[in-house]
Amino acid sequence: MTNNTKQKANQLKAILRGYRHMSSSLKKRLKKLGFKVEPGKSHFKVYYEGDRSHTFTMSVSASDHRSGLNMAHQLARAFRAERGGKMWDIALVDASR
């Protein structure tokens, strides 16, 4: 795993840490990393750069305090395996705002 890959995974973890619900600021931060979030009745659909072949779901309101970290790990692992790290080779962004 390259440093860029690790940094992107850490950014994703930082964004989703403590996730309880999808706020507009959280959507903006995910968008800066290249993710698109679409609302649903009880879950959000999350995918990367318009690639709907790998869609992930996030609960509208999480009940587990670790759900955000679990989702970050799942997203990072799936995209890293599927794309050989290619996803994370884009420029680093400041998604902390």
Side-chain angles (χ1 to χ4, degrees):
M1 191 181 320
T2 67
N3 278 343
N4 195 20
T5 302
K6 288 178 186 177
Q7 288 176 334
K8 283 292 193 180
N10 286 336
Q11 284 181 337
L12 192 56
K13 279 194 236 178
I15 289 171
L16 293 174
R17 184 179 310 277
Y19 173 76
R20 291 290 186 198
H21 66 278
M22 185 63 67
S23 64
S24 60
S25 65
L26 180 57
K27 282 184 192 177
K28 287 177 189 176
R29 292 168 69 189
L30 287 171
K31 185 177 179 181
K32 284 184 180 182
L33 285 178
F35 290 94
K36 179 152 174 75
V37 179
E38 290 183 348
K41 288 184 180 180
S42 60
H43 289 83
F44 289 99
K45 291 181 183 176
V46 181
Y47 52 93
Y48 185 71
E49 288 189 342
D51 180 7
R52 293 177 184 256
S53 64
H54 301 288
T55 302
F56 294 87
T57 59
M58 291 180 73
S59 176
V60 169
S61 60
S63 58
D64 181 8
H65 73 282
R66 287 201 38 88
S67 62
L69 289 176
N70 291 338
M71 183 63 180
H73 177 74
Q74 180 185 15
L75 284 169
R77 191 176 91 203
F79 282 111
R80 187 171 51 246
E82 189 65 31
R83 297 173 185 226
K86 181 179 164 190
M87 170 190 161
W88 304 112
D89 290 338
I90 57 178
L92 290 173
V93 295
D94 182 8
S96 62
R97 299 174 212 228

